[in-house]
Amino acid sequence: MSEYKASKGKLSFKGDREKKKKKKRKAEESIEEEGNQEGWVFAETQEDLIGPIFLAFNSEPLSCLHCSEKDHSIGVQPLSPGKQLLNCEPEDIASVFVGSRIVGTTDRISLKTFDEKYLASDKFGVITAEREAIGPQEEWTPILRGDGIALQSTYEKFLSVDEIADGGYNLRADVETIGFCETWKIKCQARFRKKVKSTKKETKPINEYEIEQIKKYQTWGGGRIKTSKEEISELKKAKKEGNFAEALLDRREKVKADRYCK
């Protein structure tokens, strides 16, 4: 008689479907990977400005936006000597602000200090943090640039650092254009970053995408669409600014064959 060996583990029956292990989505893995990071990193999107942030100014020596623990005034405070922009971090809680999205908007935020007050600017550009509620003066619009981030007040003026005679710095918001003194290097905590690394997608050239849209919305106008280098640059600019759909619609209207245009 042949020897019988019992198999270990869960019994299986004929017809049972084999259970497959659930695989994590790449996006979820990316979020988890971001969450495992430590320290402070440069904010790259508006979403990165929601949560604890640190506003550094590339002065010499390096300085940061600061709320005084004594009188709760807002100013610019130098960081410890030898600090570099790449690895600088808040040295105390008074240098940390909490960014929150203004309800009903997509591009405006508020900045709360450690003592639960909001950063504000009046029509003269005077900076304070005295109110516990958010009004128009407590609203800021972040302008993301290649060299940093500018903060625009409700009066369309920018938060600026002004060097004064004794070597210190004065904070104001009465400047109408963005320059070096209006550009902040804003950092957020890596573990709170909401940025999700998108998976690699096939990207099409701007002109091919436009032809695709022409075929979709028009009887046929692709043969009449000619895209120059200047027009491609304009479309790329529109895509970056979030006006890509409107720019394509304007170009389709020029062809005069849109099915939905009367």
Side-chain angles (χ1 to χ4, degrees), residues 14 19 41 44 46 49 80 138-139 176 186 191 222 247:
K14 188 176 180 181
K19 291 184 179 180
V41 294
E44 297 177 352
Q46 289 214 7
L49 302 178
S80 299
E138 286 72 37
E139 295 184 9
E176 296 181 352
I186 302 182
R191 60 195 180 96

Side-chain angles (χ1 to χ4, degrees), residues 207-227 251-252 255-257:
N207 55 345
E208 286 186 20
Y209 186 81
E210 185 177 20
I211 293 294
E212 228 176 56
Q213 295 292 299
I214 291 289
K215 290 179 180 180
K216 182 178 179 181
Y217 293 107
Q218 295 175 313
T219 51
W220 174 238
R224 282 174 277 172
I225 288 290
K226 292 182 180 180
T227 313
R251 289 179 58 76
R252 289 202 303 272
V255 179
K256 306 290 185 182

Side-chain angles (χ1 to χ4, degrees), residues 50-246:
I50 307 305
I53 57 175
F54 169 60
L55 292 86
F57 182 67
N58 196 16
S59 56
E60 184 59 47
L62 205 61
S63 55
C64 68
L65 190 66
H66 185 268
C67 178
S68 171
E69 294 186 56
K70 293 181 180 179
D71 58 8
H72 306 286
S73 62
I74 297 292
V76 179
Q77 176 174 284
L79 295 175
S80 299
K83 288 282 186 180
Q84 300 296 320
L85 191 60
L86 188 63
N87 56 15
C88 69
E89 295 187 355
E91 296 179 345
D92 54 51
I93 194 173
S95 299
V96 177
F97 293 77
V98 178
S100 299
R101 181 82 62 207
I102 299 295
V103 176
T105 73
T106 58
D107 62 344
R108 295 200 296 278
I109 64 172
S110 63
L111 296 172
K112 186 164 62 174
T113 65
F114 74 96
D115 60 347
E116 306 289 319
K117 305 293 177 63
Y118 290 94
L119 186 73
S121 169
D122 66 13
K123 62 182 179 180
F124 302 108
V126 177
I127 302 298
T128 57
E130 300 171 347
R131 298 176 185 169
E132 296 179 356
I134 301 171
Q137 293 188 346
E138 286 72 37
E139 295 184 9
W140 298 89
T141 302
I143 309 295
L144 278 66
R145 295 158 49 92
D147 55 348
I149 299 175
L151 293 172
Q152 188 178 42
S153 72
T154 190
Y155 302 104
E156 298 186 351
K157 304 294 176 63
F158 295 96
L159 185 65
S160 179
V161 178
D162 187 24
E163 188 172 1
I164 53 182
D166 62 356
Y169 297 98
N170 182 36
L171 193 65
R172 57 195 179 102
D174 59 355
V175 182
E176 296 181 352
T177 57
I178 302 174
F180 175 79
C181 293
E182 294 70 48
T183 305
W184 297 83
K185 308 293 184 179
I186 302 182
K187 288 190 168 186
C188 61
Q189 288 183 303
R191 60 195 180 96
F192 290 140
R193 173 177 275 184
K194 296 181 181 179
K195 177 184 173 185
V196 178
K197 295 179 181 177
S198 57
T199 54
K200 289 185 179 179
K201 295 181 180 179
E202 184 183 353
T203 54
K204 296 179 182 179
I206 291 289
N207 55 345
E208 286 186 20
Y209 186 81
E210 185 177 20
I211 293 294
E212 228 176 56
Q213 295 292 299
I214 291 289
K215 290 179 180 180
K216 182 178 179 181
Y217 293 107
Q218 295 175 313
T219 51
W220 174 238
R224 282 174 277 172
I225 288 290
K226 292 182 180 180
T227 313
S228 65
K229 290 182 179 180
E230 291 77 12
E231 289 169 329
I232 289 175
S233 297
E234 288 177 5
L235 287 173
K236 285 181 178 179
K237 183 180 178 182
K239 189 173 183 180
K240 187 176 181 180
E241 294 175 350
N243 304 319
F244 190 49
E246 291 86 345

